[in-house]
Amino acid sequence: MNLAVWLQRAGQSHAGRPAVALGTRVVRRYGELAERAARLAGALQTLGLRPGDRVAIVAKNSPDILDLMYGIWQAGLAVVPANAKLHGAELGYILEHSGVRVCFASAGLDDEIAPHAPATLERLIRIGSAEYEALFAAGTVAMVARQPDDLAWLFYTSGTTGRPKGAMLTHRVLAAASHAYATQVDPIAPGDAILHAAPMSHGSGLYIMAHVPRLGVQVVPESGGFEPDEVCALFDTWPNASMFAAPTMIKRLVECPADLCAEHIRTLIWGGAPMYVEDTLRALDRFGPRLAQIYGQGEAPMTITTLSKADIADRDHPNWLARLASAGRPYADVEVRVADADDNALPVGQTGEILCRGDVVMPGYWQNDEANVTTMRGGWLHTGDVGAFDAGGYLVLKDRSKDLIISGGSNIYPREVEEVLLASDKVREVSVIGRPDAEWGEVVVAYVVGDASAAELDALCLSHIARFKRPKDYVFVDTLPKNNYGKILKTELRQRDAGRGQG
Ligand code: AMP
């Protein structure tokens, strides 16, 4: 079934209910949103686009994204949302690789894309221009039927290494992920809001669909992104609002001086990167039982495991802290396996690569047979993440396999060392990497943002972890290299680190 049917039905049955807000103002009601989507679908057909063709959206968060996504789907096309913070050349690569025929870009971004536009791109349309507005004057068209395995969203991974890859998210994948979210993470009642402060082209965008059949309100901040003060004010305006946030965003909300009433928040969902236990505890003290964690990746759109609000808030449980350090339990309809190098399931407690399969998993990457052969081996998604199940069925993530440090033959997971260092209130951020070493193979090095001394941090490690895991060197820096999603780039850190320690 076409995902856009959910909007069409909501538009018919609840035309007057708020669907989209810009800041505090409702800008689309369900009837209007459905009609705009149907008109845009008509215009896209007139442009000669045929079912299965790809259409890109390059824009900061804005209500226009909803018109565009649903119009594209209604016409039976696939949407290619690209991160607005990428360089023109990087956007050009995505447009070329996905073979999009039409690209919608917000003012300014179109100029950035133009010099890099591939020959296959037939139209670059500026959102808000007269040409753009004219598309919504077209006659409405009927919903184009789609099969569950037809492509709906080409999700370009953030690419912490190498070129981004396009995860093929089908109508089936997105429908399954939406149901999983609404049943297992965050139930949605009519009028509940979802605040899109993280990019709608990625993390936050995945929450759009679940809110449509349940008559939620999509709230887009006027800044088009994450400004803590603005977000706090929006939580006050839209009681019962949820928000998906990267751990760094949650941290900033905790530190935000604005007087945010926690009771207005339905759920703060974090995922996309590890949240250290110290930070979770601070967030829990500040916001109470309103935090949930999700673990996934673009390839299984944030739907592999989840740590529920109840688990996070269950302070009396004997395993409470251990659970907080985990990524929770698998979603009901997803098979998750911790496997050895031959893909055999490992017993509880043993560490291996995390594999998963089920309706929420992509069928593969767009035009990338080489990556598909390895990533989808045996019908399982190989996440590249390393972890272990505990006896209670909670998945403890260690690190990306490539981040593992092997020193003197022992495996050291950077995250365990990072957790310890972050317990110091003089440490704001930290990233631990391996540095090649003639004697040990690799040694542990900590990059630290904060004003602790190396001696203090060494003492902290000595009292919490095995001696061989202690960093042999501390490098104090003002900032850590991060990508556009706020993820720390260990690969870049390792490159910067190359050459150090050899003097
Ligand atoms: P992306 O596809 O860019 O969203 O990146 C997905 C990767 O982020 C996963 O493969 C994990 O390495 C990491 N990740 C996602 N969620 C979590 C989480 N809850 N805790 C730790 N790491 C996570």
Side-chain angles (χ1 to χ4, degrees), residues 434-457:
R435 176 188 291 162
D437 180 85
E439 187 179 355
W440 298 99
E442 278 182 301
V443 292
V444 177
V445 178
Y447 275 74
V448 180
V449 181
D451 47 20
S453 70
E456 280 172 84
L457 296 179

Side-chain angles (χ1 to χ4, degrees), residues 158 271-274 293-299 302 385 397 400 487:
S158 50
Q293 181 190 184
I294 53 160
Y295 156 62
Q297 47 181 208
E299 292 81 346
M302 297 320 284
D385 292 318
L397 291 176
R400 304 284 302 167
K487 288 194 192 199

Side-chain angles (χ1 to χ4, degrees), residues 79-347:
V79 63
V80 186
N83 183 348
K85 288 189 195 153
L86 293 180
H87 185 274
E90 294 169 309
L91 291 168
Y93 171 80
I94 290 176
L95 299 182
E96 181 174 17
H97 184 257
S98 58
V100 300
R101 294 177 60 192
V102 173
C103 172
F104 291 98
S106 42
L109 287 170
D110 53 344
D111 295 332
E112 221 173 287
I113 292 169
H116 305 279
T120 40
L121 185 69
E122 293 163 23
R123 272 168 197 262
L124 178 56
I125 300 175
R126 174 179 281 209
I127 296 170
S129 64
E131 179 190 15
Y132 177 80
E133 294 303 339
L135 300 176
F136 293 93
T140 61
V141 290
M143 182 76 49
V144 174
R146 296 277 77 196
Q147 294 301 314
D149 291 326
D150 285 335
L151 182 65
W153 180 326
L154 212 42
F155 189 107
Y156 276 85
T157 57
S158 50
T160 44
T161 51
R163 289 285 205 186
K165 297 193 275 289
M168 294 193 286
L169 305 183
T170 60
H171 288 264
R172 184 199 304 278
V173 168
L174 293 176
S178 301
H179 290 315
Y181 173 73
T183 53
Q184 294 158 68
V185 180
D186 195 26
I188 303 160
D192 285 354
I194 177 82
L195 226 158
H196 293 294
M200 289 165 80
S201 59
H202 286 77
S204 205
L206 295 169
Y207 300 95
I208 292 173
M209 290 74 71
H211 286 78
V212 170
R214 297 170 181 85
L215 305 171
V217 189
Q218 320 268 346
V219 178
V220 184
E222 287 192 74
S223 67
F226 177 68
E227 300 293 339
D229 289 339
E230 183 185 26
V231 161
C232 291
L234 287 176
F235 273 119
D236 281 340
T237 309
W238 298 98
N240 241 13
S242 292
M243 181 173 88
F244 168 75
T248 45
M249 292 163 66
I250 303 265
K251 242 177 121 163
R252 287 184 62 194
L253 270 191
V254 170
E255 288 160 7
C256 183
D259 190 18
L260 168 61
C261 171
E263 268 149 43
H264 286 178
I265 300 174
R266 182 162 45 110
T267 312
L268 290 175
I269 306 110
W270 89 80
M275 172 113 126
Y276 300 99
V277 174
E278 285 296 324
D279 292 333
T280 306
L281 292 175
R282 280 181 205 128
L284 191 58
D285 285 345
R286 174 72 181 83
F287 297 117
R290 295 176 186 83
L291 298 163
Q293 181 190 184
I294 53 160
Y295 156 62
Q297 47 181 208
E299 292 81 346
M302 297 320 284
T303 318
I304 300 175
T305 62
T306 176
L307 187 65
S308 68
K309 287 204 262 193
D311 276 346
I312 293 174
D314 190 4
R315 292 174 187 263
D316 296 331
H317 194 282
N319 293 340
W320 176 56
L321 282 176
R323 286 180 175 180
L324 285 192
S326 82
R329 291 177 299 144
Y331 284 85
D333 295 323
V334 187
E335 280 180 273
V336 183
R337 171 183 284 184
V338 169
D340 66 14
D342 297 322
D343 292 349
N344 299 311
L346 288 168

Side-chain angles (χ1 to χ4, degrees), residues 25-55:
R25 207 161 34 94
V26 174
V27 293
R28 311 264 191 284
R29 295 187 181 269
Y30 269 98
E32 190 188 355
L33 180 62
E35 185 177 334
R36 282 178 75 79
R39 287 183 187 279
L40 179 69
L44 293 171
Q45 287 182 354
T46 312
L47 292 180
L49 294 172
R50 294 286 162 260
D53 283 348
R54 276 86 52 217
V55 177

